[in-house]
Amino acid sequence: MSGLLSAMNHLGLRFFRSSAVLPGVIILIGLTCGALSLAVFGPSDPPSPESDAWYVKGSQLASTSQLDEAVEAFQAAQRADPKKADTYFALGTIWLQKRDWRRAETSFASFVKLRPKSAQGWVLLARSRLELGNTSSAMLAYRKALSLDGSAQEAKDALHRFARQ
């Protein structure tokens, strides 16, 4: 607590040194950070025990390159809770590894519907569309990614490359 008071004092926030006001300030800061996180990253998936168990199993299988079995586990997670965005992302990455561009596109399209503020999701959707030869749709997805994260290098590179053509 003294470290926080020292930091606040250093920042010129001497008003908040009162121990009666400090808990309220900490709560206000926490709520503000939570709201900013929600605005930037969107909502996280709520817990779903069955879906979560399948997701963990799929992640373990994918980490040992058992991709077909991982797909089955992630699909079971989707059946258990179709609103869990992370399963669509995980499946999309597997489909990219397997070079199944159509399934990757479908997975990432579902992911960005659930998590529209994920720049990485938009980048991977764009990559899938580009591999399918759908350049205009890929460029739209890359632009969306860049609007969410100005440092999305793959999006920058792709848009620059296509601007020169």
Side-chain angles (χ1 to χ4, degrees):
M1 185 76 96
S2 65
L4 179 59
L5 288 174
S6 174
M8 293 173 82
N9 190 35
H10 177 72
L11 293 171
L13 301 175
R14 289 184 178 93
F15 169 78
F16 296 113
R17 291 190 63 174
S18 163
S19 61
V21 175
L22 189 57
V25 171
I26 292 172
I27 290 170
L28 182 61
I29 291 170
L31 290 173
T32 302
C33 291
L36 287 172
S37 174
L38 183 61
V40 171
F41 300 112
S44 62
D45 292 334
S48 170
E50 183 182 0
S51 180
D52 293 345
W54 282 113
Y55 182 84
V56 168
K57 183 169 182 64
S59 297
Q60 291 168 341
L61 291 164
S63 72
T64 59
S65 298
Q66 298 176 60
L67 299 183
D68 293 331
E69 295 85 355
V71 164
E72 290 175 18
F74 287 130
Q75 288 173 335
Q78 281 180 334
R79 286 190 299 276
D81 187 352
K83 298 261 187 217
K84 288 194 77 80
D86 292 340
T87 57
Y88 294 98
F89 190 89
L91 276 169
T93 58
I94 290 174
W95 297 131
L96 284 178
Q97 289 176 21
K98 292 171 119 338
R99 305 176 70 84
D100 189 334
W101 312 124
R102 177 67 57 207
R103 286 183 176 168
E105 179 193 31
T106 300
S107 293
F108 289 121
S110 295
F111 176 76
V112 297
K113 281 182 187 172
L114 294 169
R115 294 264 180 86
K117 294 182 180 183
S118 170
Q120 185 63 25
W122 285 102
V123 164
L124 296 174
L125 176 61
R127 186 185 306 167
S128 304
R129 289 179 173 170
L130 200 56
E131 291 291 347
L132 288 168
N134 191 344
T135 305
S136 62
S137 184
M139 293 303 108
L140 288 173
Y142 277 132
R143 283 188 193 100
K144 179 67 176 178
L146 212 49
S147 76
L148 294 168
D149 178 3
S151 67
Q153 195 61 47
E154 181 177 336
K156 283 182 182 180
D157 293 345
L159 290 170
H160 181 71
R161 191 171 46 253
F162 282 96
R164 291 185 295 167
Q165 292 181 353

